[in-house]
Amino acid sequence: MTVLILNGPNLGRLGRRQPEIYGHTTHAELAERCQEWGRDLGLEVEVRQTNHEGEMLDWLNAAADAGHPVVLNAAAWTHYSYAIFDACAQLTAPLVEVHLSEPLQRPEEFRHTSVVTPHAATVIAGHGVDGYRRALEFLAGSL
Ligand code: DQA
């Protein structure tokens, strides 16, 4: 069963986007590392990124139909999208919420709410790209 790693808006600019917060690893490098970590753990991994909420909803709906486990960094949608909330609610396989930074420790209050957390088997935040490795390890242990 393929694990889908789904990254939301602005994460395509990883490495160039506020590196002091999100680090220097690019999205392409992150995707490569996730493939390697998946291989080590015996998991098939597919990494995608979109800036378009409808596309993310289509991916989550398809994951629900196919029963794919999902690692989701919904980025800013995490904090306000009830459509993402509803899509996550439909997932049948485990969902892991990941953030590179720790939104709960950041000064903007809007980051202190997550529509994903109520549906997540676990939340991994504040570990940079290593959070994705931890998410895959969690799934390898629970599938
Ligand atoms: C993020 C945290 C969100 O608050 C922010 O909107 C992002 C990235 C993270 O990975 O730390 O875009 O999800």
Side-chain angles (χ1 to χ4, degrees), residues 9 11 17 22 73-76 78-79 98-103 106 111:
L11 292 171
R17 172 194 182 198
Y22 299 114
N73 185 346
T78 303
H79 309 303
V98 168
H99 300 283
L100 295 146
S101 66
E102 172 46 285
R106 292 179 61 181
R111 294 189 206 278

Side-chain angles (χ1 to χ4, degrees), residues 60-77:
L60 289 168
N61 286 186
D65 283 338
H68 289 294
V70 172
V71 174
L72 177 62
N73 185 346
W77 294 327

